[in-house]
Amino acid sequence: MSNETEDTDVPDEGEEEPFPLNGSGTREGDPDEQPDRPAEQQPREADEDEAPSIDDLGSEVEFDAEIADDEEIGKDDLLGGLRIDSTAEIEVPDRLVDQVIGQEHARDVVMKAAKQRRHVMMIGSPGTGKSMLAKAMAELLPKEELQDVLVYHNPDDGNEPKVRTVPAGKGEQIIDAHKEEAQKRDQLRSLLMWIVIAVVAGYAILAMGNPILAVIGAVLIYIGFKYASRGSDAMIPNLLVNNADTKTAPFEDATGAHAGALLGDVRHDPFQSGGMETPSHDRVEAGAIHKANKGVLFIDEINTLDVRSQQHLMTAIQEGAFGITGQSERSSGAMVQTEPVPTDFVMVAAGNMDAMENMHPALRNRIRGYGYEVYMDDTIRDSPEMRRKYARFVAQEVENDGRLPHFTDDAVEEVILEARRRAGRKDHLTLELRSLGGLVRVAGDIARGENAESTTREHVLEAKGRSRSIEQQLADDYIERRKDYELQVSEGHQVGRVNGLAVMGQDSGIMLPVMAEITPSQGMGGQVIATGQLKEMAEESVQNVSAIIKKYTDEQISDKDIHIQFIQTGQQGVDGDSASITVATAVISALEDIGVDQSLAMTGSLSVRGDVLPVGGVTHKIEAAAKAGCDRVIIPKANEQDVMIEDEYKEMIEIIPVSHISEVLEVALEGEGEKDSLVSRLKSITGSALESSDVTTPAGGSEPTPQ
């Protein structure tokens, strides 16, 4: 057999000689290019009893449980009409694409992209289902196109290994055939070696009577045979990509991968001479882009890839093939460069909003030019159908975990209530399902720890306390510490001091006192001086407040300095404009020398005309005020519909929605005569008078009913 034949393929028994390599490294007349494929590789006609085709995906998943008629389902029916005792009665779909909750637009795009093999970029908050949709996409791609990739020794240039692609499963057969042939050669070579050793040793002993010469001759013959056979391993190809056992299209998660893991690498060989070197083709390692061939390459936080890797990724997408070389210039692998290895993958890139800012513009252009961009929703409108899907979500989490007891109906209702609360919007449910799934798992762990047969509502309520975020735990700790040092005041009246509210992280609130003081100016005109690690947006909000102060006051403030201090903001500082009404109230109180009710907290943005504008995180802020001991809290009227506080806080605090700064002052300032005069003057100047002097409170006297 010629060297070229040995370096490419060894035929199985009964087969003809393998097809010769063509210029691109594939073989002419290769089985994967012929119509007579193996039976398992042949495309099959869809059977009526098979799973729905890709065009059917996204259809409504049926529930085995009884569902009430739509006219019987009210807003208070948290299960959306499901008549179940536990999640054990809810059937969980087998396919990931059917398990996706919400994200209807993203799911439709993924289905189209899978059918047409288009790239997708998904941008959205963490935990909204980006990786799940990417895995679902891999399930939708056809399996019959999968390939194995082999790397062969190149007898003409050892540093340029040849590449061959074969149908999935064929690669192992080729490797086994090569190994069997190599074993036969080794056995024959060993037999010949021992015959030669026997002849030489016998001659040296019998004819020459010199046993020492016989030993030396045997050793030299042994070394000579071993040195001559050192290249036998080079005849066995390296199975670079093996898809023999792959049931669906490959899915490779390359999130955070370094250059070698993403693009492939060639290992360093410390023994590069003397017959001890490893053949270059045996040191080649496939990257994620090669393993994802005919499948899906998923990269989250795409902007964290270095520029060089993004540029090579563009080449792989554009050319559909990418050669492998050593990624380290100091490695012997840097001298090796394989022929192009197939990289015909569908890329799903993901990230947060900042991902687009630091992403290579040319890479994004290729994704847009050959695919879709999708924004992942954070919330979805509440409806009976969605509540049923959330009940199924709980069943999915239990089923996928495999160790949790099933949830009772009231436990599922509590989870759906938490989904409403975390949405932060009226008539919406959160789609940040990873964190909601964490609550399900913690509740299930608690029930399992108690050896309970089912997870109940009490377990979910306990889990809500145990699964608090770091920010929530810190906020609670801050509140307790401030009480110990009397930094938090929740009774009486004080001039120039107002209890503001802020959000830590995404799901916790904290009370943030603001103090104001008026002093004579020591320089060129009066200034507004704000301290407390204010960031850009917070500084701008202070300037907006100063415009209102200058407009309404009767006093000459050009010769006064207004000092504003945000108390104990810490290193994180203050960002956003939700403390605007707090700052305005503190400054006006200091200017007019009128006390502010310390049992009151407030949050709200402020326009230069005095209108109170909506802010975020009102639910968490209200709960923080209640924890701090406040009796009342002022929020923007526009946020009234977003309030979803826990039941334990409803009796602790009164919520007062306002729409104008004059309403804020009427509630917050003490006294009657001076306050009424101040509020009337402010109304007349800003031109936004109230229809009634009474402060509007929600029906029922305390707070709006959560929707």
Side-chain angles (χ1 to χ4, degrees):
M1 184 173 290
S2 67
N3 288 337
E4 182 177 355
T5 304
E6 291 177 351
D7 289 336
T8 56
D9 195 2
V10 173
D12 294 331
E13 295 183 5
E15 288 185 358
E16 298 179 357
E17 280 290 311
F19 303 98
L21 284 166
N22 58 26
S24 63
T26 58
R27 294 181 180 270
E28 298 177 1
D30 214 347
D32 57 329
E33 298 179 2
Q34 301 302 312
D36 53 340
R37 291 183 177 181
E40 63 271 17
Q41 298 293 337
Q42 290 285 358
R44 295 178 294 110
E45 294 293 332
D47 199 340
E48 293 182 359
D49 296 331
E50 291 182 354
S53 68
I54 191 172
D55 294 320
D56 299 324
L57 295 176
S59 59
E60 295 303 325
V61 179
E62 297 294 332
F63 290 89
D64 287 343
E66 179 185 352
I67 303 176
D69 295 333
D70 289 342
E71 57 271 13
E72 299 177 8
I73 303 174
K75 287 188 176 182
D76 294 333
D77 190 341
L78 294 173
L79 295 180
L82 275 181
R83 300 293 183 257
I84 59 171
D85 294 324
S86 78
T87 53
E89 302 173 35
I90 301 177
E91 183 179 359
V92 176
D94 294 329
R95 297 174 301 181
L96 282 175
V97 71
D98 290 327
Q99 295 182 18
V100 175
I101 306 296
Q103 310 297 358
E104 308 296 340
H105 172 61
R107 186 175 62 178
D108 291 343
V109 167
V110 164
M111 292 190 300
K112 293 176 183 176
K115 187 174 183 178
Q116 302 296 333
R117 296 189 61 82
R118 307 293 188 198
H119 304 299
V120 179
M121 182 166 74
M122 295 184 284
I123 299 297
S125 302
T128 51
K130 298 185 288 289
S131 60
M132 187 176 184
L133 280 169
K135 291 178 181 178
M137 190 173 185
E139 291 184 352
L140 306 179
L141 296 177
K143 180 182 183 299
E144 60 265 16
E145 295 183 6
L146 298 186
Q147 297 174 330
D148 290 343
V149 180
L150 299 103
V151 182
Y152 291 83
H153 172 68
N154 186 346
D156 299 326
D157 185 353
N159 286 330
E160 191 177 346
K162 294 183 176 293
V163 173
R164 178 191 176 190
T165 59
V166 296
K170 183 69 174 176
E172 288 184 341
Q173 299 176 17
I174 294 174
I175 296 296
D176 291 342
H178 272 283
K179 288 181 178 179
E180 184 179 351
E181 184 68 19
Q183 186 178 11
K184 291 179 180 178
R185 288 197 302 267
D186 288 342
Q187 290 174 349
L188 181 61
R189 190 179 293 111
S190 296
L191 178 62
L192 180 61
M193 179 187 69
W194 288 114
I195 292 174
V196 173
I197 289 175
V199 171
V200 171
Y203 179 79
I205 294 173
L206 298 176
M208 303 179 64
N210 191 344
I212 296 177
L213 181 63
V215 172
I216 294 174
V219 171
L220 291 176
I221 294 171
Y222 179 83
I223 294 174
F225 267 87
K226 287 298 181 183
Y227 185 81
S229 63
R230 72 188 188 279
S232 61
D233 289 341
M235 304 302 107
I236 302 177
N238 175 18
L239 184 55
L240 193 66
V241 177
N242 184 7
N243 285 315
D245 298 326
T246 306
K247 302 303 180 184
T248 60
F251 175 82
E252 288 295 322
D253 188 345
T255 301
H258 58 79
L262 178 67
L263 306 171
D265 203 353
V266 180
R267 299 193 307 274
H268 175 66
D269 183 12
F271 306 104
Q272 301 176 38
S273 61
M276 302 178 66
E277 66 274 8
T278 303
S280 59
H281 76 283
D282 268 346
R283 295 185 281 122
V284 176
E285 298 287 346
I289 61 174
H290 308 107
K291 296 176 183 178
N293 183 46
K294 302 299 182 183
V296 173
L297 177 69
F298 176 66
I299 305 179
D300 202 357
E301 305 299 338
I302 182 72
N303 55 309
T304 60
L305 287 180
D306 60 73
V307 175
R308 178 174 171 272
S309 295
Q310 293 191 48
Q311 290 173 334
H312 288 318
L313 192 57
M314 285 188 286
T315 303
I317 292 174
Q318 187 75 20
E319 303 297 331
F322 190 83
I324 301 175
T325 186
Q327 297 300 327
S328 173
E329 296 179 356
R330 301 178 182 177
S331 167
S332 62
M335 299 295 295
V336 179
Q337 174 73 51
T338 72
E339 292 181 340
V341 180
T343 57
D344 183 18
F345 56 80
V346 173
M347 190 173 83
V348 179
N352 302 326
M353 291 300 297
D354 61 346
M356 294 184 293
E357 298 175 6
N358 301 319
M359 186 177 178
H360 198 295
L363 177 58
R364 184 182 176 192
N365 182 265
R366 276 173 170 76
I367 296 175
R368 294 183 64 185
Y370 298 98
Y372 302 88
E373 290 185 341
V374 181
Y375 177 74
M376 306 292 287
D377 296 324
D378 292 330
T379 63
I380 191 168
R381 182 163 291 279
D382 190 0
S383 67
E385 179 186 351
M386 285 310 304
R387 280 174 249 153
R388 292 194 292 269
K389 289 186 177 181
Y390 271 69
R392 193 190 69 199
F393 164 75
V394 177
Q396 288 174 188
E397 293 299 304
V398 173
E399 188 77 20
N400 293 336
D401 187 276
R403 300 182 298 272
L404 306 179
H406 277 283
F407 280 53
T408 61
D409 55 348
D410 57 348
V412 176
E413 290 177 350
E414 190 62 37
V415 173
I416 296 175
L417 273 177
E418 182 66 12
R420 282 181 175 178
R421 180 175 177 271
R422 295 188 182 190
R425 296 176 61 188
K426 180 183 179 182
D427 294 335
H428 279 74
L429 298 165
T430 182
L431 285 177
E432 295 183 6
L433 298 180
R434 183 181 296 141
S435 60
L436 194 66
L439 175 65
V440 172
R441 284 181 284 276
V442 172
D445 289 344
I446 294 172
R448 188 165 182 250
E450 298 176 357
N451 293 322
E453 293 184 359
S454 300
T455 305
T456 64
R457 180 175 181 270
E458 287 69 28
H459 293 135
V460 177
L461 293 175
E462 185 178 349
K464 288 167 70 174
R466 291 193 185 183
S467 62
R468 292 178 304 158
S469 66
I470 294 295
E471 290 83 2
Q472 284 178 309
Q473 296 175 49
L474 284 173
D476 292 343
D477 185 58
Y478 285 165
I479 291 172
E480 291 302 319
R481 289 189 181 189
R482 288 176 177 178
K483 286 180 179 178
D484 293 340
Y485 292 98
E486 297 183 354
L487 294 173
Q488 214 154 259
V489 181
S490 57
E491 59 183 15
H493 294 79
Q494 290 191 19
V495 175
R497 186 189 190 282
V498 182
N499 291 321
L501 297 167
V503 172
M504 291 183 62
Q506 294 183 336
D507 57 358
S508 60
I510 189 170
M511 198 156 82
L512 187 68
V514 176
M515 292 186 179
E517 188 65 43
I518 310 299
T519 62
S521 176
Q522 301 296 323
M524 301 294 293
Q527 302 180 67
V528 177
I529 304 169
T531 59
Q533 297 282 349
L534 271 67
K535 298 183 182 178
E536 183 178 356
M537 196 170 185
E539 289 181 351
E540 292 178 353
S541 70
V542 171
Q543 297 301 320
N544 292 340
V545 169
S546 66
I548 296 175
I549 304 302
K550 293 174 183 177
K551 185 174 182 179
Y552 105 92
T553 184
D554 288 341
E555 300 183 24
Q556 178 60 258
I557 63 171
S558 61
D559 57 349
K560 297 179 181 179
D561 288 339
I562 301 176
H563 295 264
I564 303 168
Q565 182 184 12
F566 290 78
I567 305 298
Q568 286 199 330
T569 57
Q571 294 182 349
Q572 70 271 18
V574 179
D575 196 8
D577 62 347
S578 65
S580 297
I581 64 171
T582 308
V583 172
T585 304
V587 173
I588 293 172
S589 169
L591 278 171
E592 300 293 335
D593 196 28
I594 302 176
V596 178
D597 185 359
Q598 297 302 298
S599 67
L600 174 75
M602 62 181 68
T603 183
S605 181
L606 195 61
S607 73
V608 293
R609 296 181 60 86
D611 298 310
V612 178
L613 306 177
V615 294
V618 288
T619 294
H620 305 301
K621 293 176 180 178
I622 294 170
E623 292 179 351
K627 291 178 184 177
C630 292
D631 299 326
R632 299 183 296 168
V633 61
I634 292 176
I635 66 169
K637 191 172 184 62
N639 285 126
E640 186 176 0
Q641 62 183 3
D642 299 328
V643 176
M644 285 290 297
I645 65 173
E646 298 279 5
D647 292 340
E648 61 184 293
Y649 302 115
K650 291 182 179 180
E651 300 299 325
M652 296 172 60
I653 195 163
E654 177 185 356
I655 301 173
I656 305 173
V658 298
S659 57
H660 194 265
I661 184 62
S662 56
E663 300 177 64
V664 177
L665 299 178
E666 189 164 3
V667 174
L669 301 182
E670 68 173 333
E672 293 296 335
E674 294 181 0
K675 179 179 74 171
D676 292 345
S677 173
L678 175 64
V679 172
S680 298
R681 187 167 69 249
L682 187 59
K683 290 178 184 178
S684 63
I685 292 175
T686 58
S688 182
L690 295 174
E691 294 181 1
S692 172
S693 61
D694 295 333
V695 178
T696 305
T697 56
S702 61
E703 69 147 14
T705 302
Q707 299 297 317

